[in-house]
Amino acid sequence: MGISLKASGFIESLALALACTAVVLTGYNVGAFEEMELNTLDIRARQFANAADANEDVVIAAIDESSLRTFKENGITWKWPRDFYGVLVDYLYRGGAKTVVFDVVYADPDIDRRDSDAEETDGAFAQAMKRAGNVLLAANLQHDRDLSKGENPLVPGIKFPRMLAAPNIKIGERPSGVLPIPIFQQNAYGLGAVAYEPDKEDGIYRRLEPFVEYKGHVFPHLGIAAYLQANSIDRVHYTDERNLRIGDLEVPLDTNGRFLLYWYGQGGPDGVFKYYPIHQLIGSAIAEQSGEKPDVPATTFKGKTVIVGANATGLFDMRTTPFTVYEPYPGLEIYATMLSNLMGEHFLVRADKGWVYFFVLAFAFLICLSFLGLNSIRAAIMVSAIASAGWIGASAAAYESSRVWLDVVTPQVSIMLSFAVAAVVSYWREGKARKQLRTMFGRYLSPVVVAEVVEKSDEIELGGKEITGTVFFSDVKGFTE
């Protein structure tokens, strides 16, 4: 039996497709599918992660379990004297590190110990930062005040990038901030914000605000602050709500002005970034000062950005990311990932909503047309399967090859809803047509003939056909006797 398309079927299909599209897009615009969509994004991030893409010049100096244990065995418990960090900074400076980033908020002065004075240990760290001239410290900018820490004043003279932005650009504001103690602010190169929030749908960290405002000053995020310092950039420009220019680098943002992270793989010492236990580095620094051979020569860090922070479980700096399904993800690697994204221009961009609108309507129309225009469930099943598999494949390919995030869930919902609704309408329409045929022919024909007419209703045309033919008249001999 051939498949034909009638104008009435085309119009019905379009009307039904528009109705299905309206329902699906309403759900899409109110965020009904967003959590599922984010889950599919995480699957793509894990499936196509490539650790080799991460910048090798971003390394981690980790306050890890082995360092806590090593120092404790030598009678030094957490929190360590601040002059330890001064030794580390001097060591990295001698080796030629480009930038040193501390993902630690030094909000309180050091404490006096039996063999050390707090003012001296803080001073030693501050002087090391001043000598190096490339140390960034973290500032924890918050919506709510952290009552467990003092709110240190912002010291005049801190370096902030000059911000150019149109009046409609709104920088997220933080009313409260936990800042380093004043002597550290005075001697560090600058401050970077560690303000970040998980996605509200599921509590997973996937994006960051590039800049936040605190007390009239715009703080770059810690990852961006490291990029600015490493490249001697002092000016940034919001060209519009979704585009940021940092020096000559064009950085795309999402619809809310946030930076989407492009992940390279799982975190931790066996993950993407090179880890160095901090006790090993301090030991190497002391060895070099004593003229002994270090485990890790300072020159190992020439031209590198070193992020100093905690990945020890007991220090509670773990974050939920798409890779937490494998193991806990250290918060400091979020900044490392952002910095590597900037250095490698690895930007994840979500496709415009217009593409979602177009394909939701296109899939709905093709499926409805298969049912109502072509009256073929086989065609409808084929179209649905091809559209579903094709869109999943296209979404995967776009992420892998171009770092483009195509929405997967909403078009799939359109396919399923359109198939279900079109199938119901088609079944109802076919049942109604069969009932009309039985009523029409049941008065004149035998039930057997009526059943055959109903069964082959697609082949019957009311009004007959006009043909060219030959009529043969004959009589049977003896038939009338």
Side-chain angles (χ1 to χ4, degrees):
M1 179 178 68
I3 297 177
S4 60
L5 175 64
K6 297 180 180 179
S8 59
F10 181 92
I11 294 172
E12 288 178 352
S13 301
L14 181 58
L16 190 60
L18 289 171
C20 291
T21 298
V23 172
V24 172
L25 292 183
T26 298
Y28 171 70
N29 286 315
V30 300
F33 316 127
E34 188 66 8
E35 184 172 353
M36 289 186 289
E37 179 60 39
L38 292 171
N39 288 334
T40 70
L41 178 64
D42 293 347
I43 291 171
R44 281 171 276 183
R46 292 190 291 267
Q47 183 66 34
F48 300 114
N50 185 3
D53 287 342
N55 196 299
E56 294 181 351
D57 288 335
V58 180
V59 298
I60 308 295
I63 303 172
D64 60 358
E65 300 286 355
S66 68
S67 296
L68 294 174
R69 184 172 57 253
T70 298
F71 284 125
K72 186 175 182 180
E73 290 171 352
N74 288 274
I76 304 170
T77 58
W78 182 259
K79 299 177 178 181
W80 303 328
R82 297 275 171 80
D83 54 352
F84 273 34
Y85 303 110
V87 171
L88 177 65
V89 168
D90 283 335
Y91 163 77
L92 295 172
Y93 175 58
R94 287 197 309 272
K98 181 175 285 189
T99 307
V100 181
V101 181
F102 278 88
D103 179 27
V104 182
V105 180
Y106 298 103
D108 300 306
D110 202 359
I111 60 174
D112 291 327
R113 296 174 179 82
R114 184 175 56 187
D115 56 351
S116 65
D117 176 77
E119 187 173 345
E120 290 180 359
T121 55
D122 280 339
F125 185 23
Q127 287 303 309
M129 287 191 283
K130 184 176 182 179
R131 284 191 294 272
N134 64 351
V135 177
L136 293 167
L137 297 179
N140 189 2
L141 306 182
Q142 308 166 328
H143 289 291
D144 301 310
R145 184 178 179 186
D146 185 352
L147 298 178
S148 67
K149 298 182 183 296
E151 189 165 322
N152 294 308
L154 185 62
V155 174
I158 296 290
K159 294 181 181 179
F160 293 103
R162 288 179 289 171
M163 175 68 67
L164 300 176
N168 63 318
I169 303 297
K170 297 187 181 299
I171 307 296
E173 187 174 357
R174 297 293 188 274
S176 178
V178 180
L179 306 181
I181 59 176
I183 191 174
F184 289 170
Q185 294 184 48
Q186 291 166 352
N187 289 280
Y189 175 86
L191 302 178
V194 294
Y196 50 20
E197 298 175 355
D199 285 335
K200 62 183 179 181
E201 290 81 5
D202 55 10
I204 294 177
Y205 293 89
R206 300 183 182 90
R207 58 195 105 201
L208 301 167
E209 293 178 274
F211 296 89
V212 292
E213 185 176 346
Y214 172 69
K215 292 188 175 180
H217 295 279
V218 177
F219 283 67
H221 200 281
L222 197 57
I224 289 182
Y227 183 82
L228 293 172
Q229 194 280 331
N231 293 278
S232 302
I233 297 172
D234 63 357
R235 177 179 297 184
V236 293
H237 182 203
Y238 274 95
T239 53
D240 56 51
E241 293 180 342
R242 297 194 60 178
N243 291 281
L244 175 67
R245 182 181 299 144
I246 303 176
D248 295 328
L249 182 66
E250 296 286 345
V251 181
L253 307 174
D254 71 5
T255 53
N256 293 314
R258 294 174 296 178
F259 181 94
L260 276 168
L261 292 164
Y262 177 75
W263 303 96
Y264 301 107
Q266 66 188 71
D270 298 324
V272 172
F273 298 101
K274 176 67 175 176
Y275 267 65
Y276 296 91
I278 200 167
H279 78 270
Q280 188 181 36
L281 301 186
I282 292 176
S284 296
I286 295 172
E288 285 191 347
Q289 289 175 348
S290 304
E292 300 175 4
K293 183 178 180 181
D295 290 340
V296 182
T299 53
T300 302
F301 302 98
K302 183 175 179 59
K304 297 188 183 298
T305 295
V306 183
I307 300 178
V308 183
N311 78 322
T313 305
L315 299 183
F316 307 106
D317 192 26
M318 299 296 176
R319 304 293 174 179
T320 304
T321 73
F323 289 87
T324 306
V325 296
Y326 299 132
E327 61 178 303
Y329 197 93
L332 61 91
E333 285 201 43
I334 294 178
Y335 316 124
T337 299
M338 184 184 204
L339 177 58
S340 185
N341 287 172
L342 293 168
M343 294 170 73
E345 299 186 33
H346 300 152
F347 301 129
L348 178 62
V349 179
R350 190 172 191 173
D352 190 78
K353 283 186 174 183
W355 290 106
V356 176
Y357 292 176
F358 174 80
F359 281 102
V360 164
L361 176 59
F363 291 153
F365 176 67
L366 289 174
I367 292 169
C368 291
L369 187 66
S370 300
F371 269 113
L372 306 182
L374 304 179
N375 294 318
S376 172
I377 189 170
R378 179 179 298 177
I381 292 173
M382 289 180 61
V383 168
S384 300
I386 292 171
S388 179
W391 187 250
I392 291 173
S395 301
Y399 186 96
E400 182 181 21
S401 64
S402 304
R403 302 185 186 92
V404 173
W405 170 12
L406 286 178
D407 281 69
V408 170
V409 174
T410 304
Q412 297 294 330
V413 172
S414 175
I415 291 169
M416 292 186 288
L417 179 65
S418 301
F419 188 95
V421 172
V424 169
V425 171
S426 177
Y427 181 80
W428 171 81
R429 191 177 69 172
E430 184 177 347
K432 182 179 179 182
R434 287 172 179 266
K435 184 177 180 181
Q436 288 177 338
L437 287 173
R438 288 192 183 95
T439 301
M440 183 182 303
F441 293 107
R443 302 175 183 177
Y444 313 109
L445 303 175
S446 71
V448 175
V449 175
V450 171
E452 185 174 354
V453 168
V454 171
E455 184 67 26
K456 299 181 178 180
S457 58
D458 290 344
E459 301 177 14
I460 296 174
E461 293 185 14
L462 297 180
K465 290 184 179 180
E466 194 174 298
I467 64 173
T468 300
T470 300
V471 180
F472 177 72
F473 294 94
S474 177
D475 189 15
V476 180
K477 183 177 181 180
F479 178 76
T480 57
E481 292 180 359

